[in-house]
mmCIF file of all heavy atoms in Angstrom:
data_model
loop_
_atom_site.group_PDB
_atom_site.id
_atom_site.type_symbol
_atom_site.label_atom_id
_atom_site.label_comp_id
_atom_site.label_asym_id
_atom_site.label_seq_id
_atom_site.Cartn_x
_atom_site.Cartn_y
_atom_site.Cartn_z
ATOM 1 N N LEU A 1116 42.373 44.568 47.529
ATOM 2 C CA LEU A 1116 43.455 45.547 47.310
ATOM 3 C C LEU A 1116 42.996 46.496 46.239
ATOM 4 O O LEU A 1116 43.204 47.711 46.359
ATOM 5 C CB LEU A 1116 44.708 44.799 46.925
ATOM 6 C CG LEU A 1116 45.954 45.693 46.693
ATOM 7 C CD1 LEU A 1116 46.278 46.533 47.952
ATOM 8 C CD2 LEU A 1116 47.151 44.849 46.307
ATOM 9 N N PHE A 1117 42.409 45.992 45.152
ATOM 10 C CA PHE A 1117 41.850 46.848 44.143
ATOM 11 C C PHE A 1117 40.803 47.799 44.696
ATOM 12 O O PHE A 1117 40.769 48.980 44.380
ATOM 13 C CB PHE A 1117 41.276 46.003 42.994
ATOM 14 C CG PHE A 1117 40.505 46.824 41.995
ATOM 15 C CD1 PHE A 1117 41.182 47.657 41.080
ATOM 16 C CD2 PHE A 1117 39.136 46.795 41.945
ATOM 17 C CE1 PHE A 1117 40.471 48.422 40.172
ATOM 18 C CE2 PHE A 1117 38.423 47.572 41.061
ATOM 19 C CZ PHE A 1117 39.066 48.381 40.175
ATOM 20 N N VAL A 1118 39.909 47.271 45.523
ATOM 21 C CA VAL A 1118 38.858 48.098 46.132
ATOM 22 C C VAL A 1118 39.472 49.182 47.006
ATOM 23 O O VAL A 1118 39.037 50.334 46.970
ATOM 24 C CB VAL A 1118 37.875 47.224 46.944
ATOM 25 C CG1 VAL A 1118 36.916 48.068 47.753
ATOM 26 C CG2 VAL A 1118 37.113 46.262 46.022
ATOM 27 N N MET A 1119 40.526 48.821 47.775
ATOM 28 C CA MET A 1119 41.185 49.793 48.636
ATOM 29 C C MET A 1119 41.781 50.919 47.795
ATOM 30 O O MET A 1119 41.616 52.128 48.093
ATOM 31 C CB MET A 1119 42.307 49.092 49.407
ATOM 32 C CG MET A 1119 43.069 50.013 50.351
ATOM 33 S SD MET A 1119 44.592 49.328 51.075
ATOM 34 C CE MET A 1119 44.056 47.869 51.893
ATOM 35 N N LYS A 1120 42.461 50.551 46.684
ATOM 36 C CA LYS A 1120 43.061 51.591 45.836
ATOM 37 C C LYS A 1120 41.977 52.435 45.159
ATOM 38 O O LYS A 1120 42.127 53.661 45.065
ATOM 39 C CB LYS A 1120 43.946 50.913 44.765
ATOM 40 C CG LYS A 1120 45.267 50.387 45.345
ATOM 41 C CD LYS A 1120 46.118 49.798 44.249
ATOM 42 C CE LYS A 1120 47.456 49.384 44.751
ATOM 43 N NZ LYS A 1120 48.363 50.460 44.989
ATOM 44 N N ALA A 1121 40.904 51.827 44.725
ATOM 45 C CA ALA A 1121 39.821 52.575 44.058
ATOM 46 C C ALA A 1121 39.180 53.547 45.021
ATOM 47 O O ALA A 1121 38.888 54.697 44.657
ATOM 48 C CB ALA A 1121 38.784 51.608 43.501
ATOM 49 N N LEU A 1122 38.966 53.161 46.301
ATOM 50 C CA LEU A 1122 38.403 54.073 47.269
ATOM 51 C C LEU A 1122 39.327 55.248 47.553
ATOM 52 O O LEU A 1122 38.867 56.386 47.735
ATOM 53 C CB LEU A 1122 38.024 53.341 48.547
ATOM 54 C CG LEU A 1122 36.908 52.376 48.461
ATOM 55 C CD1 LEU A 1122 36.756 51.535 49.756
ATOM 56 C CD2 LEU A 1122 35.607 53.092 48.142
ATOM 57 N N CYS A 1123 40.619 54.992 47.557
ATOM 58 C CA CYS A 1123 41.581 56.080 47.764
ATOM 59 C C CYS A 1123 41.543 57.060 46.594
ATOM 60 O O CYS A 1123 41.517 58.275 46.808
ATOM 61 C CB CYS A 1123 43.032 55.525 47.874
ATOM 62 S SG CYS A 1123 43.295 54.682 49.435
ATOM 63 N N VAL A 1124 41.448 56.555 45.358
ATOM 64 C CA VAL A 1124 41.335 57.436 44.219
ATOM 65 C C VAL A 1124 40.080 58.251 44.273
ATOM 66 O O VAL A 1124 40.072 59.450 43.978
ATOM 67 C CB VAL A 1124 41.449 56.627 42.890
ATOM 68 C CG1 VAL A 1124 41.122 57.498 41.692
ATOM 69 C CG2 VAL A 1124 42.859 56.041 42.759
ATOM 70 N N LEU A 1125 38.994 57.651 44.699
ATOM 71 C CA LEU A 1125 37.744 58.376 44.871
ATOM 72 C C LEU A 1125 37.917 59.474 45.939
ATOM 73 O O LEU A 1125 37.380 60.582 45.786
ATOM 74 C CB LEU A 1125 36.590 57.463 45.256
ATOM 75 C CG LEU A 1125 36.086 56.581 44.129
ATOM 76 C CD1 LEU A 1125 35.007 55.609 44.671
ATOM 77 C CD2 LEU A 1125 35.525 57.410 42.985
ATOM 78 N N GLY A 1126 38.660 59.162 46.989
ATOM 79 C CA GLY A 1126 38.959 60.157 48.017
ATOM 80 C C GLY A 1126 39.790 61.313 47.438
ATOM 81 O O GLY A 1126 39.506 62.509 47.747
ATOM 82 N N PHE A 1127 40.763 61.016 46.631
ATOM 83 C CA PHE A 1127 41.572 62.094 45.998
ATOM 84 C C PHE A 1127 40.704 62.975 45.141
ATOM 85 O O PHE A 1127 40.781 64.228 45.155
ATOM 86 C CB PHE A 1127 42.713 61.508 45.145
ATOM 87 C CG PHE A 1127 43.679 60.661 45.843
ATOM 88 C CD1 PHE A 1127 44.291 59.577 45.213
ATOM 89 C CD2 PHE A 1127 43.985 60.860 47.197
ATOM 90 C CE1 PHE A 1127 45.215 58.781 45.870
ATOM 91 C CE2 PHE A 1127 44.902 60.074 47.859
ATOM 92 C CZ PHE A 1127 45.509 59.033 47.192
ATOM 93 N N LEU A 1128 39.814 62.350 44.355
ATOM 94 C CA LEU A 1128 38.918 63.127 43.496
ATOM 95 C C LEU A 1128 37.930 63.926 44.294
ATOM 96 O O LEU A 1128 37.619 65.093 43.952
ATOM 97 C CB LEU A 1128 38.182 62.186 42.527
ATOM 98 C CG LEU A 1128 39.025 61.517 41.474
ATOM 99 C CD1 LEU A 1128 38.196 60.446 40.724
ATOM 100 C CD2 LEU A 1128 39.600 62.506 40.554
ATOM 101 N N GLY A 1129 37.442 63.414 45.412
ATOM 102 C CA GLY A 1129 36.530 64.148 46.301
ATOM 103 C C GLY A 1129 37.218 65.369 46.890
ATOM 104 O O GLY A 1129 36.626 66.434 46.965
ATOM 105 N N ALA A 1130 38.444 65.218 47.321
ATOM 106 C CA ALA A 1130 39.188 66.358 47.897
ATOM 107 C C ALA A 1130 39.469 67.396 46.817
ATOM 108 O O ALA A 1130 39.346 68.612 47.070
ATOM 109 C CB ALA A 1130 40.505 65.870 48.495
ATOM 110 N N TRP A 1131 39.792 66.950 45.617
ATOM 111 C CA TRP A 1131 40.023 67.887 44.518
ATOM 112 C C TRP A 1131 38.741 68.662 44.191
ATOM 113 O O TRP A 1131 38.784 69.888 44.036
ATOM 114 C CB TRP A 1131 40.518 67.125 43.296
ATOM 115 C CG TRP A 1131 40.677 67.995 42.060
ATOM 116 C CD1 TRP A 1131 41.685 68.838 41.821
ATOM 117 C CD2 TRP A 1131 39.749 68.084 40.986
ATOM 118 N NE1 TRP A 1131 41.444 69.471 40.599
ATOM 119 C CE2 TRP A 1131 40.259 68.998 40.086
ATOM 120 C CE3 TRP A 1131 38.557 67.448 40.680
ATOM 121 C CZ2 TRP A 1131 39.646 69.321 38.878
ATOM 122 C CZ3 TRP A 1131 37.913 67.759 39.498
ATOM 123 C CH2 TRP A 1131 38.474 68.680 38.618
ATOM 124 N N ARG A 1132 37.625 67.971 44.161
ATOM 125 C CA ARG A 1132 36.353 68.615 43.908
ATOM 126 C C ARG A 1132 36.013 69.621 44.985
ATOM 127 O O ARG A 1132 35.573 70.741 44.716
ATOM 128 C CB ARG A 1132 35.265 67.560 43.794
ATOM 129 C CG ARG A 1132 33.915 68.140 43.406
ATOM 130 C CD ARG A 1132 32.937 67.051 43.095
ATOM 131 N NE ARG A 1132 31.664 67.631 42.761
ATOM 132 C CZ ARG A 1132 30.514 67.332 43.370
ATOM 133 N NH1 ARG A 1132 30.497 66.430 44.319
ATOM 134 N NH2 ARG A 1132 29.391 67.924 42.995
#
Side-chain angles (χ1 to χ4, degrees):
L1116 182 59
F1117 170 74
V1118 172
M1119 182 191 302
K1120 286 182 175 284
L1122 290 173
C1123 289
V1124 170
L1125 287 176
F1127 300 148
L1128 292 172
W1131 175 77
R1132 183 172 180 235

